């Protein structure tokens, strides 16, 4: 089980993602935009972040950039963008700020579940190596 931060401004989609992630056996925390997610982070350390790209107040790319610049202990936390915007420039922007993956809507939750598990397992191996 992992702690996953879900950052999505659309309540229905956020609820669906949370339900699916929790059905995978993970716990979730939620934020409605990047600014709210940044307020959540200082005392918390999620093991994976799922974030929309297009949100009010602070979009997903700006949120990811803030993590890279101001939360060095979270830079290596797996980061997945989930978005209906799937133009090449959207994906390129996401990868440029350090996203691990870009998942397009409609979401294939079986594929997302496999991806989440792969990234979490990889993060655990990295954490184990860093402790040696």
């Amino acid at each position: 089980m992992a702690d996953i931060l879900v950052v999505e401004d659309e309540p229905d989609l956020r609820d669906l993602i949370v339900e699916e992630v929790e059905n995978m056996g993970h716990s979730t925390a939620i934020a409605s935009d990047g600014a709210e997610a940044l307020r959540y982070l200082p005392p918390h350390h999620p093991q994976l972040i799922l974030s929309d790209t297009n949100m009010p107040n602070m979009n997903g790319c700006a949120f990811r950039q803030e993590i890279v610049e101001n939360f060095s202990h979270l830079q290596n936390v797996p980061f997945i963008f989930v978005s209906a915007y799937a133009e090449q420039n959207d994906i390129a922007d996401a990868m440029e700020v350090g996203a691990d993956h870009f998942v397009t809507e409609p979401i294939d939750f079986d594929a997302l579940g496999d991806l989440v598990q792969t990234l979490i397992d990889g993060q655990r191996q990295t954490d184990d190596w860093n402790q040696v």
Side-chain angles (χ1 to χ4, degrees), residues 12-50:
D12 291 339
L13 181 56
R14 183 177 57 235
D15 292 346
L16 178 60
I17 293 170
V18 165
E19 179 181 344
E20 292 290 336
V21 167
E22 289 178 351
N23 285 341
M24 295 172 198
H26 305 294
S27 61
T28 58
I30 61 171
S32 60
D33 60 45
E36 184 178 343
L38 287 175
R39 289 191 297 274
Y40 168 83
L41 288 178
H44 300 95
H45 191 288
Q47 292 165 291
L48 187 135
I49 298 171
L50 289 167

Side-chain angles (χ1 to χ4, degrees), residues 55-115:
M55 299 176 288
N57 301 318
M58 178 181 283
N59 69 35
C61 286
F63 167 53
R64 175 63 185 153
Q65 192 63 43
E66 283 287 324
I67 290 172
V68 170
E69 292 175 1
N70 299 309
F71 295 87
S72 60
H73 65 289
L74 298 175
Q75 285 183 19
N76 295 323
V77 169
F79 196 103
I80 303 171
F81 277 117
V82 179
S83 182
Y85 298 96
E87 297 294 324
Q88 283 295 61
N89 63 324
D90 297 318
I91 297 169
D93 290 347
M95 296 298 119
E96 189 174 303
V97 295
D100 293 285
H101 285 277
F102 192 100
V103 175
T104 58
E105 298 172 19
I107 301 168
D108 176 341
F109 284 102
D110 290 332
L112 180 63
D114 292 343
L115 176 59

